[in-house]
Amino acid sequence: MHFSKQQILSMSNGLFFGEGNAQLPNSFMLMIDEISQLSNKGGLFDKGYLQASFNILPDHWFFDCHFKGDPVMPGCLGLDALWQLLGVFLGWSGLAGRGRALGVDNVKFSGQIYPDAGSIEYRLDIKRLFKKPMPMGIADGLVLHNGSVIYQASNLKVGLISKG
């Protein structure tokens, strides 16, 4: 499965997976430009995987404020992108509810993303998918630049909550 930039933007308007279900953030917090692969089979744990990318532009908002004179993408935005992608996986899997990050066990930053990075890639390997009592996914994720891992996150957790 592949999702274009236009489909990603549709996911951020809240109607792609149905009203009241998983959606991506919009505007400044959307950290995904394309989902190149998504499957409920394969991956490191044979429970599914997702691959996506984000084009780094020198004029992204975060470079002006993090840090003055030493611009670098905040690591928390890459981590948030992994949570966003896990929410997409849950919505694509047909599970209902609004996505919420529930936690992560371990995060390791071993590189930085500068304004001239060009693009970064995300990889998510699904470990567990729960349908009840609350729809939830658990996955391990990577952020890569030029094929090298620069962020690692284990046991990312996203749940889907009902409104109200």
Side-chain angles (χ1 to χ4, degrees):
M1 181 68 57
H2 174 269
F3 293 106
S4 67
K5 176 68 173 184
Q6 189 63 33
Q7 290 170 305
I8 298 293
L9 292 173
S10 179
M11 288 178 197
S12 75
N13 75 19
L15 300 177
F16 193 88
F17 296 115
E19 189 171 347
N21 289 322
Q23 78 180 78
L24 288 169
N26 60 23
S27 189
F28 295 126
M29 288 304 294
L30 182 60
M31 297 288 130
I32 303 159
D33 285 319
E34 177 185 30
I35 297 173
S36 56
Q37 295 182 36
L38 187 148
S39 176
N40 59 3
K41 295 181 175 141
L44 291 177
F45 308 100
D46 202 30
K47 305 254 188 224
Y49 70 98
L50 194 149
Q51 291 182 315
S53 61
F54 182 55
N55 294 320
I56 302 298
L57 304 174
D59 64 348
H60 274 312
W61 65 272
F62 44 81
F63 289 126
D64 284 338
C65 57
H66 191 266
F67 298 96
K68 187 173 180 75
D70 182 21
V72 63
M73 180 177 166
C76 61
L77 295 179
L79 179 61
D80 195 70
L82 295 172
W83 277 317
Q84 291 174 24
L85 289 165
L86 185 50
V88 167
F89 188 89
L90 295 173
W92 175 78
S93 296
L95 300 173
R98 297 179 184 269
R100 297 293 186 264
L102 299 177
V104 61
D105 284 351
N106 295 299
V107 177
K108 179 181 177 183
F109 299 112
S110 55
Q112 298 181 63
I113 302 165
Y114 295 104
D116 63 354
S119 67
I120 57 175
E121 296 175 52
Y122 306 111
R123 293 190 189 159
L124 203 61
D125 289 292
I126 307 304
K127 295 175 93 170
R128 307 258 333 248
L129 192 62
F130 298 93
K131 295 182 180 181
K132 293 181 180 183
M134 175 181 72
M136 183 174 77
I138 301 174
D140 286 353
L142 302 173
V143 177
L144 301 99
H145 180 247
N146 290 333
S148 295
V149 175
I150 57 172
Y151 304 173
Q152 297 175 332
S154 62
N155 294 322
L156 295 147
K157 296 171 190 73
V158 169
L160 299 177
I161 60 170
S162 299
K163 189 174 181 178

